[in-house]
Amino acid sequence: MATKRFASLTADEIEKKKMLINSKETIKSNQKAARLLKAYLKATDEDEQFEEYNSGKLNEVLGHFYMNARKQDGEHYKATSFENTRHALNRHLHGVPYSRKIDIIKDPEFCDANECFKAALAELKRLGKGSVDHHPVINETDRMKLYESIIMIPDAPEALLNKVQFDIRLYFCRRSQENMHGMTKSTFKVLNDPKTGLKYVAKCEDELTKNHRGNDRESTSGVMPEFPGSPYCPVKSYETYISKLHPLCTSLWQRPKESFNDDDTIWYCNSRLGEKTLAKFMTKLSEGAKLSQIYTNHSIRATGATILTKSMFNPSQIMAVTGHKSVQSLTVYQRTDTEEKIAMGHAMGKSLATQNSAVLALPAPENSTLLALPPPETVNESTSIVPMIEECGDGPSACRSVAISELQGLNISDLFADFQSSSLQTETIANISNVQNKPILPAFSGCTIGTINFNFNVSK
């Protein structure tokens, strides 16, 4: 029996609270994966209660399931959906009421099943199903178009609602419609920065999110600062919106009135927006503002995180706003967008154009007539640089005597006519004083001379 101090929960109520450890979206994902596996087991005449299989049986069934799973139309799943299904099955087995102490992803008992899973992923890659479809980031052009659109000019109830909701989703990097339906007027508060005196909107209530569950003590949230004088100032829009809400409704997101006057104190009805309306928020804005593509609610979160990443904030700072649990999970926001790829393509194109223009700028060779080379002079004994040596048949000593006699009077300094060197010895060959009157032409001009050896090779 319940007392004033303690509650008295039944076993069923306790089980339900255990199930709420996971987020609503996670629970739906787990149940969807379980239904898929049970549908496969039913189609193959197997027992559908796979939660009660032993590890060996479960390993065998999962291996076949990974290789044969298809969508209702017979098409293959995309690789990301396939991976999500395996993780969801693992969570389903861990959760209540089954609480199985097994891990179908890491335990060695499921090695065969995981090999089949890898083979299935490789096949999906070959079929072109391996790409990852990220939520598109709202490009700068579309963001400006959105803020300048009539559907977000804060002078009418619906447009003001759209702007404030978009601002909060962007500045606080909200995940899709997570907890949006349960927000109240007290979820956020307008505060003052003591250093600058400017206002900012901060989240002042803790909440249970996908990444931050009951055992998480750290509070993560961004702030929405004031931009005085800007027509897009989020704080000014928020204060106007709060002042126009219905006083009897505690919900933050209220249905706008169909008719109103500018000087009306209340612009909204005493009823909150439905979950489906919140879920289709960004899709409706994309269509209403005629943006370049249809964006989703999660695109707003991706846009905020991408802006912070490109603004060179470090991962820990970004995680304090987005609520991510690991740096690895932020890598999805570090991808190169289409605009940057186009800029890189232009850079390569300009490089090729520059090289091409440089080649075209080269002057064409002139058509000039080649000068005819002079005919070679006839070399004879009287004009040769080194006199010819006649053949001799009396042995090396006789040939040496003939060579010396032929080189009589040839001065070394004449051979190196314009070579200036103090170390060059200019002595007459064989010290023969009888200088013959022979024409001498410079043999070496304008070069550096090391050592010159005269070799006399005589064959018998």
Side-chain angles (χ1 to χ4, degrees):
M1 183 175 179
T3 64
K4 292 182 179 180
R5 180 177 179 181
F6 299 104
S8 179
L9 299 177
T10 64
D12 290 340
E13 290 173 334
I14 292 175
E15 290 300 316
K16 289 181 179 179
K17 288 186 177 294
K18 285 182 179 180
M19 293 183 66
L20 294 177
I21 292 175
N22 293 318
S23 67
K24 186 184 297 184
E25 289 74 17
T26 300
I27 294 173
K28 288 182 179 179
S29 177
N30 297 348
Q31 293 173 344
K32 181 179 179 181
R35 287 196 301 269
L36 177 61
L37 179 54
K38 289 185 177 184
Y40 168 76
L41 293 173
K42 183 178 180 180
T44 55
D45 296 326
E46 295 280 356
D47 182 8
E48 298 180 30
Q49 303 304 316
F50 68 91
E51 297 92 349
E52 300 176 1
Y53 286 0
N54 59 42
S55 296
K57 176 67 174 177
L58 187 58
N59 174 60
E60 180 183 357
V61 167
L62 287 175
H64 289 284
F65 170 71
Y66 293 149
M67 299 299 294
N68 297 311
R70 300 290 187 275
K71 294 192 289 187
Q72 288 185 350
D73 58 2
E75 290 292 321
H76 287 80
Y77 285 97
K78 297 199 71 172
T80 50
S81 299
F82 208 47
E83 290 177 325
N84 292 338
T85 298
R86 184 172 68 146
H87 284 286
L89 287 173
N90 202 35
R91 292 192 301 265
H92 176 76
L93 292 169
H94 291 168
V96 293
Y98 312 107
S99 301
R100 295 289 299 271
K101 305 300 181 183
I102 57 175
D103 192 319
I104 63 174
I105 299 175
K106 298 180 180 179
D107 288 351
E109 291 85 356
F110 299 94
C111 180
D112 291 340
N114 289 325
E115 287 297 319
C116 291
F117 180 80
K118 293 178 182 178
L121 283 184
E123 182 181 6
L124 293 176
K125 185 71 173 179
R126 286 192 294 270
L127 294 173
K129 300 283 187 177
S131 60
V132 180
D133 293 330
H134 296 293
H135 293 279
V137 174
I138 306 173
N139 62 59
E140 186 175 352
T141 302
D142 278 346
R143 291 201 304 272
M144 288 305 302
K145 188 175 182 180
L146 191 61
Y147 272 105
E148 294 174 354
S149 172
I150 191 173
I151 63 174
M152 275 184 58
I153 295 178
D155 57 0
E158 186 172 1
L160 178 60
L161 168 66
N162 289 338
K163 183 182 184 303
V164 172
Q165 188 177 161
F166 184 86
D167 285 340
I168 285 181
R169 288 178 181 271
L170 178 66
Y171 283 92
F172 292 91
C173 294
R174 301 295 305 184
R175 179 183 289 102
S176 191
Q177 64 264 25
E178 184 179 58
N179 296 336
M180 293 290 291
H181 190 251
M183 288 183 177
T184 66
K185 297 175 183 177
S186 59
T187 300
F188 300 94
K189 183 182 295 185
V190 179
L191 303 173
N192 283 87
D193 184 356
K195 291 185 178 180
T196 63
L198 297 177
K199 299 177 182 178
Y200 65 93
V201 177
K203 185 164 69 72
C204 56
E205 290 183 353
D206 194 14
E207 60 180 329
L208 196 66
T209 65
K210 177 183 176 182
N211 289 341
H212 296 270
R213 309 307 296 172
N215 59 346
D216 199 326
R217 298 291 184 270
E218 183 180 359
S219 177
T220 59
S221 176
V223 297
M224 194 163 66
E226 180 183 16
F227 296 97
S230 171
Y232 311 118
C233 178
V235 175
K236 181 179 179 181
S237 300
Y238 178 80
E239 289 182 319
T240 302
Y241 176 74
I242 290 294
S243 68
K244 298 291 186 179
L245 291 177
H246 198 286
L248 299 180
C249 182
T250 60
S251 176
L252 180 61
W253 310 118
Q254 301 178 5
R255 287 194 304 109
K257 287 184 175 181
E258 295 181 359
S259 60
F260 74 101
N261 293 318
D262 290 342
D263 55 355
D264 287 347
T265 57
I266 300 175
W267 282 6
Y268 300 91
C269 302
N270 185 16
S271 61
R272 63 181 181 178
L273 290 178
E275 290 190 59
K276 291 184 178 179
T277 301
L278 292 171
K280 297 178 180 179
F281 171 72
M282 193 60 218
T283 300
K284 184 178 178 181
L285 287 188
S286 301
E287 295 171 346
K290 294 181 171 55
L291 303 183
S292 62
Q293 61 178 300
I294 302 300
Y295 297 100
T296 64
N297 287 340
H298 205 89
S299 293
I300 308 176
R301 172 179 170 85
T303 301
T306 301
I307 292 173
L308 295 178
T309 300
K310 292 185 176 182
S311 299
M312 304 306 292
F313 288 98
N314 64 54
S316 61
Q317 291 173 316
I318 299 174
M319 289 165 61
V321 175
T322 63
H324 285 91
K325 297 288 287 184
S326 66
V327 176
Q328 181 66 26
S329 58
L330 286 177
T331 56
V332 67
Y333 303 116
Q334 297 173 351
R335 58 184 183 269
T336 304
D337 58 27
T338 303
E339 293 179 3
E340 292 171 327
K341 291 179 180 179
I342 292 175
M344 289 189 285
H346 282 306
M348 288 186 283
K350 289 179 180 178
S351 174
L352 294 174
T354 302
Q355 293 181 12
N356 188 40
S357 62
V359 172
L360 294 176
L362 291 176
E366 297 180 359
N367 294 325
S368 57
T369 304
L370 295 177
L371 298 176
L373 294 176
E377 297 182 0
T378 303
V379 179
N380 51 45
E381 183 178 356
S382 62
T383 60
S384 62
I385 297 176
V386 179
M388 298 177 63
I389 301 176
E390 298 179 353
E391 294 184 0
C392 58
D394 297 328
S397 59
C399 288
R400 178 179 178 82
S401 299
V402 172
I404 292 176
S405 65
E406 290 294 327
L407 294 174
Q408 284 183 356
L410 186 62
N411 198 301
I412 296 298
S413 61
D414 292 330
L415 285 174
F416 305 94
D418 61 347
F419 185 84
Q420 303 296 327
S421 176
S422 59
S423 61
L424 182 63
Q425 296 180 358
T426 57
E427 61 180 1
T428 304
I429 296 177
N431 294 323
I432 299 175
S433 59
N434 183 17
V435 178
Q436 299 179 3
N437 187 17
K438 294 184 178 181
I440 299 298
L441 298 177
F444 305 95
S445 176
C447 57
T448 301
I449 304 300
T451 302
I452 299 177
N453 296 320
F454 289 95
N455 297 319
F456 299 91
N457 297 321
V458 180
S459 59
K460 293 182 180 181

